Amino acid sequence: MPETETRKLDVAWVRAQFPSLQLQVQGRPAAFMDGPAGTQVPRQVIQAIENYFVSANANTCGAFETSRRNDSMIAATRIAMADFFNCHPSEVVFGQNMTTITFALARAIARELKAGDEIMVTTLDHDANVAPWRALEEKGVVIRQVDIREEDCTLDLEDLQGRITPKTKVVAVGYASNIVGTINPIAEITKLAHAAGALMFVDAVHYAPHGLIDVKALDCDFLVCSPYKFFGPHMGTLYGKRAHLQRFKSYKVRPATDAIPDCWETGTQVQELIAGIGAAVDYIAGLGGHCDVTAKNRREALHAAYRATVPYERTLLTRLLEGLQTIRGVKVYGIIEPRRFGERCSTISLRLGEHHPTQIAKFLGDRGIFTWDGNFYALNLSERLGVESKGGVLRIGLVHYNTAEEVDRLLSALQEFAGQ
Ligand SMILES: Cc1ncc(COP(=O)(O)O)c(C=O)c1O
């Protein structure tokens, strides 16, 4: 097998790693299509958290064995996340979740901003990449918002280009939309931001389970994602270029270290969950190793994993979209042409006639099919698409542990709901 070739995804192997995928709801197997709100976790994540409590449960930097074990576990997890991001471990910060990290970072960056400075946000983003920046309006910072092209729910790059000026200090953009699945051209936008002297902040929360992140290739200044969306525990992680983590001043207590990255991690971390983050990265790398035995290190194995999951997720997406087109009254938002699937991930949002999305989600939920309804906090987009006052949309989120049979079950249930 040539070095870059990867075996097809072994879905049976994948599913065997996730104990919760065996759950039954009223005699029917549960179908987890709720991944964008949080994925299931493989056994090794559960075990890592348990092992932490059994053998390494202590605070950091103590002069005794369990504390030393905790320190080395945190250091090892930082290295794992550095492989995940493709950065140096000192550029990895752990935090409660993406939202909390972003509020803290925005506030720290704001120490260097003055009234009239501008920050760019987008109509496509989750509010966690909007509200922390909008909060700086209190300081006189001006927020500019990039619009979308409504027909395919992609960012309007002309609008973006027109709005970047020498006053722009931060461009805050999502890697992928958590409603419509659009993947944004981050490397291209980073170039535009840097040409204007602005920092590039990327929300990769929705993208992380669907594609390999490479902060070096993107050249972004900051990137955040949340392990609970990529098969890990409920936490957030931040990549920051070392020079920025050193230069900006974090809000912290005086006795805590000034050294990066620790100075950005306020208070005691949820250490047991940090243990789970390392295991989540190792699960993805293990999947990569299962797909490509030639992968020589963890980064290569991560790459191999996504080389297998991306095409697999696309086959599910194709099946789902084809099926949806046969159901009368369904409107899908975002890119639907297969030739453009490189610009989106396998997250689909739809409306079915005038039915309230909660009603559909409940109907599906009663049949063991877990989907979400609402705006998923991507308030700008929900308003822009005119669905905010109508209950938002129904979101079907497919990841690599979902199957074609589950997609077919969902389609039949939707057909039944629609009375067809
Ligand atoms: C795209 C996106 N950004 C940010 C967030 C917020 O992440 P967290 O729950 O880690 O604060 C979410 C959560 O759903 C999301 O989907």
Side-chain angles (χ1 to χ4, degrees):
M1 185 163 62
E3 231 174 32
T4 51
E5 198 183 304
T6 305
R7 269 206 316 248
K8 263 176 64 183
L9 188 73
D10 181 351
V11 190
W13 181 89
V14 165
R15 290 182 67 85
Q17 313 305 310
F18 289 81
S20 60
L21 297 184
Q22 301 307 316
L23 270 180
Q24 301 265 322
V25 178
Q26 289 163 7
R28 300 183 226 218
F32 292 90
M33 302 192 180
D34 60 337
T39 46
Q40 300 305 302
V41 299
R43 190 173 290 104
Q44 69 200 79
V45 169
I46 303 167
Q47 278 166 354
I49 295 170
E50 184 182 342
N51 288 346
Y52 170 86
F53 279 125
V54 173
S55 61
N57 186 14
N59 218 318
T60 52
C61 303
F64 55 95
E65 184 59 20
T66 46
S67 179
R68 279 193 287 267
R69 285 184 193 168
N70 182 34
D71 291 339
S72 34
M73 178 279 291
I74 293 173
T77 307
R78 245 187 252 291
I79 294 170
M81 274 312 294
D83 286 344
F84 190 78
F85 286 140
N86 196 23
C87 68
H88 190 272
S90 66
E91 297 175 310
V92 173
V93 175
F94 298 115
Q96 191 179 345
N97 49 53
M98 177 277 182
T99 307
T100 308
I101 290 173
T102 307
F103 268 106
L105 182 70
R107 197 160 154 244
I109 290 175
R111 289 177 138 171
E112 296 196 359
L113 300 182
K114 56 183 188 320
D117 284 343
E118 296 181 3
I119 291 181
M120 179 108 63
V121 299
T122 88
T123 301
L124 205 52
D125 271 67
H126 187 288
D127 215 49
N129 199 20
V130 178
W133 307 110
R134 281 213 176 280
L136 306 184
E137 284 177 315
E138 285 169 2
K139 283 195 62 150
V141 169
V142 177
I143 303 297
R144 305 270 176 223
Q145 188 169 312
V146 179
D147 201 7
I148 55 157
R149 285 186 289 249
E150 197 180 334
E151 61 281 10
D152 59 2
C153 293
T154 55
L155 271 189
D156 185 338
L157 293 181
E158 269 174 42
D159 187 45
L160 186 141
Q161 231 162 333
R163 285 176 196 274
I164 295 188
T165 74
K167 287 190 191 160
T168 313
K169 301 299 174 207
V170 180
V171 175
V173 179
Y175 207 150
S177 157
N178 68 322
I179 296 196
V180 289
T182 311
I183 296 173
N184 294 318
I186 295 297
E188 196 183 321
I189 300 172
T190 302
K191 284 199 185 94
L192 295 173
H194 286 172
L199 294 168
M200 179 71 179
F201 177 91
V202 181
D203 170 4
V205 171
H206 191 72
Y207 183 78
H210 300 295
L212 183 76
I213 292 171
D214 185 341
V215 292
K216 282 209 182 89
L218 297 174
D219 194 29
C220 55
D221 298 287
F222 298 100
L223 180 143
V224 264
C225 61
S226 303
Y228 74 94
K229 312 278 191 178
F230 58 89
F231 322 108
H234 290 93
M235 281 195 72
T237 49
L238 165 74
Y239 154 77
K241 272 186 185 161
R242 192 199 314 237
H244 298 324
L245 292 182
Q246 272 161 348
R247 186 167 68 83
F248 290 107
K249 278 189 72 198
S250 63
Y251 284 88
K252 57 176 276 295
V253 293
R254 288 173 302 160
T257 179
D258 287 320
I260 66 156
D262 310 60
C263 63
W264 291 92
E265 296 170 350
T266 42
T268 302
Q269 297 296 299
V270 197
Q271 292 150 171
E272 56 273 31
L273 299 190
I274 293 181
I277 296 177
V281 174
D282 282 337
Y283 157 71
I284 303 174
L287 168 60
H290 187 75
C291 298
D292 178 356
V293 286
T294 66
K296 288 192 283 295
N297 54 42
R298 184 160 45 197
R299 179 71 190 168
E300 282 188 16
L302 289 167
H303 202 157
Y306 287 105
R307 276 205 305 275
T309 59
V310 171
Y312 176 74
E313 288 180 5
R314 252 174 230 169
T315 61
L316 295 183
L317 175 67
T318 307
R319 195 179 186 99
L320 176 59
L321 276 173
E322 280 175 4
L324 289 174
Q325 275 156 18
T326 68
I327 304 175
R328 265 192 318 282
V330 165
K331 174 176 170 45
V332 172
Y333 294 87
I335 295 165
I336 51 169
E337 307 90 332
R339 69 183 164 80
R340 294 185 59 199
F341 279 0
E343 295 171 65
R344 63 131 54 245
C345 57
S346 49
T347 302
I348 288 280
S349 279
L350 59 87
R351 284 193 59 94
L352 179 45
E354 281 311 303
H355 291 291
H356 198 286
T358 308
Q359 205 192 346
I360 314 174
K362 179 156 188 337
F363 182 88
L364 296 172
D366 291 346
R367 283 152 186 76
I369 302 167
F370 304 163
T371 59
W372 277 105
D373 60 284
N375 64 20
F376 325 110
Y377 286 16
L379 182 61
N380 286 340
L381 185 59
S382 180
E383 287 176 344
R384 177 69 170 79
L385 296 176
V387 295
E388 181 59 20
S389 58
K390 300 192 279 188
V393 289
L394 180 82
R395 180 178 67 185
I396 302 154
L398 302 173
V399 293
H400 73 287
Y401 55 60
N402 290 119
T403 64
E405 292 72 36
E406 288 178 332
V407 170
D408 292 347
R409 253 179 81 200
L410 168 86
L411 289 167
S412 327
L414 279 176
Q415 243 146 7
E416 189 189 339
F417 178 87
Q420 292 165 25

